[in-house]
Amino acid sequence: MKLGVVTFPGSNCDADARHVSALAGFEVHALWHKDTALPDGLDAIILPGGFSYGDYLRTGAIARFSPIMAEVIAFANNGGIVIGICNGFQILCESGLLPGALIRNENLSFVCKDVFLRVESTDTAFTNTCAPGSILRIPVAHGEGRYTASPDVIEELERTGRVLFRYVDANGAVTPEANPNGSLNNIAGIINANGNVMGMMPHPERASEAILGCADGMSVFTSLVASLSQQQAADVAI
Amino acid sequence: MKQYVAHVTVTLRRSILDVQGKTVEHALHSLHMPALKDVRIGKHIELHVAAPDKDRATELVDDACRKLLANPVMEDYSIEIRELADTGVPA
């Protein structure tokens, strides 16, 4: 299974994303923002965290027009799996692949700490190895992670089970205190209507090895492997 | 072609809490300026435009705002535009 990680000028979690994807069993390809083609047979793409283009103008606003983004958008529209982590989530919102926007944290501070996430949907390519309602401990590190969208978009995300991760306390309760940035409805991660594009502010790639203190984030990668394996087995059967 | 200068102001939409604006408002009130309120913090972008007339210049800047300078999901923008004095240098 092939996975590509895009490096934009200012990306700083690209190496971590490549490392953990390889641990999960992917054949990993480093992709460059100026690339105008994707490797043949690519199964998934990660837009990693960082500060692409220095966060100038708005987070993700310039990266969204990088040459490779035309390929990423076409790949996603064709059903390809695309994951945006932190700055990658911001880029996905700017590009229109995901609804809403990520704005300055409510307390105006850069927040860098472990948070608890409740897995809200487990029948997705990104969470199928998680037990329903399970709680993951994963770090956040961002200054602009307050998820916002119009009331009708929020309503649709909630009604259609597209809120994938929600900030909760250690017991799984949705509280204002557990919300690190003021995101509407404590939203930490969402998927698109087709279920192939996912964005999340927390960093699963920073919590995927026991030696680093926590491996909860690995479930995102193992879910992806499980989903793609199942899909490929089904394709072979046809 | 004429030369125009455009001043674009981008602010968070009214429906979105502007926490920077609120914080500055509190600071003003603590400086005993209670008459000042509804503070909004935004961005100011200045750019030059070559266009045959003011309408076309405005259209070009508006297009830039919609595509890149502002994000309509969270921001509103306004454009002020004026013709630059003729410098005598051929465009």
Side-chain angles (χ1 to χ4, degrees), chain A residues 76-81 97-98 123-126 156 162 191-198:
Chain A
N77 288 338
N78 200 28
I81 297 277
L97 285 175
L98 289 173
D123 58 344
T124 77
F126 316 98
E156 186 191 338
R162 287 167 53 196
I191 54 175
N192 68 343
N194 288 333
N196 62 309
V197 179
M198 186 272 276

Side-chain angles (χ1 to χ4, degrees), chain A residues 57-58 61-62 65 94 100-106 108 146 148, chain B residues 12 16-17 19-20 23 43 45 67-71 73-75:
Chain A
L57 193 63
R58 292 181 307 280
I62 313 282
F65 290 104
E94 279 285 337
L102 294 143
I103 59 177
R104 184 74 79 90
N105 293 350
E106 195 168 55
L108 299 176
R146 174 162 55 123
T148 187
Chain B
L12 279 177
I16 293 176
L17 174 67
V19 278
Q20 282 191 89
T23 306
K43 291 182 195 123
I45 302 165
K67 283 195 179 130
L68 178 65
L69 302 181
N71 179 345
V73 172
M74 57 176 177
E75 294 169 330

